[in-house]
Amino acid sequence: PGYLAACLAFNDRTDVAVLAINLFKKDFGSKNTYEAGMALSCLASIASPEISRDIVNDLSSLLVSSRPYIRKKTVLCFFKIFVKNPEALVAVFPKLKERLSDEDQGVLTGAVNTFLELARKNAKNYMSLVPQFFHILTQTTNNWLIIKLLKLFQILCALEPRLPQKMVEPLTNLIENSKA
């Protein structure tokens, strides 16, 4: 209930940084997966540039959590952190990129979604990930993930003239073989 109230009562301009950071750090380490997840959701809602700057290292360590739910929530939370603190992306990019190989479909979908939202802001920074995105597209059967990848390729194809031709075969296979 505390995090729900905080999400409703606070925003990124509310001066709660010092108190909130300590509470977030405590709850990130909670044995209760959902308590840690609520902390991540609240952080995404109320993160200010100061909170984003101060919490990025703690969040980064959650990207390799043994709990898929926490990895997924962390990947999704990072988009909001990057919006408030763009410098954090440089430090976290390698770990975030690793989540594109995650065995959990929720984490993988969250990572693709985060890269999709980042690409909407500056697509050329993510052209180096096209081979990984292409591999995921050709291997997955997750319809939600496919939708996110197609939206991502729509953005990236505008930057690379050879990419649309490469997309013909996987798109044809999707159209012919998809049950959706």
Side-chain angles (χ1 to χ4, degrees):
Y3 282 117
L4 177 59
C7 287
L8 295 172
F10 303 144
N11 60 40
D12 62 345
R13 293 175 300 281
T14 308
D15 190 21
V16 295
V18 175
L19 297 173
I21 289 171
N22 292 331
L23 184 60
F24 287 136
K25 287 180 180 185
K26 179 179 105 15
D27 287 343
F28 289 163
S30 174
K31 292 186 189 313
N32 183 329
T33 299
Y34 300 106
E35 188 173 284
M38 287 188 308
L40 287 162
S41 294
C42 182
L43 174 61
S45 294
I46 70 168
S48 65
E50 296 80 24
I51 292 174
S52 299
R53 183 190 63 242
D54 293 341
I55 204 100
V56 72
N57 290 333
D58 297 281
L59 276 181
S60 181
S61 66
L62 293 177
L63 283 173
V64 293
S65 170
S66 61
R67 300 177 287 181
Y69 180 77
I70 298 302
R71 291 194 311 269
K72 178 181 80 169
K73 292 292 240 177
T74 303
V75 163
L76 293 170
C77 180
F78 260 119
F79 173 69
K80 294 290 188 141
I81 297 299
F82 298 148
V83 168
K84 301 293 181 177
N85 180 18
E87 297 83 35
L89 180 57
V90 175
V92 177
F93 186 80
K95 283 187 178 180
L96 190 60
K97 183 179 167 185
E98 287 174 16
R99 294 302 99 215
L100 291 174
S101 303
D102 203 287
E103 67 279 353
D104 184 84
Q105 286 292 299
V107 177
L108 180 58
T109 303
V112 168
N113 188 64
T114 298
F115 281 115
L116 169 61
E117 295 305 322
L118 290 169
R120 286 182 173 155
K121 294 190 173 293
N122 190 358
K124 68 180 181 198
N125 288 346
Y126 308 100
M127 288 301 294
S128 65
L129 299 176
V130 166
Q132 283 181 277
F133 295 142
F134 190 83
H135 176 74
I136 296 166
L137 180 67
T138 59
Q139 300 300 313
T140 190
T141 57
N142 180 330
N143 288 333
W144 293 111
L145 181 55
I146 290 170
I147 290 167
K148 295 292 182 185
L149 286 163
L150 291 176
K151 288 179 178 182
L152 185 55
F153 277 113
Q154 179 183 14
I155 295 167
L156 297 174
C157 280
L159 300 176
E160 174 54 60
R162 298 171 293 178
L163 192 53
Q165 185 60 37
K166 289 278 189 192
M167 295 299 297
V168 170
E169 183 180 342
L171 288 175
T172 303
N173 289 339
L174 282 171
I175 291 168
E176 290 174 353
N177 301 323
S178 177
K179 294 177 184 171

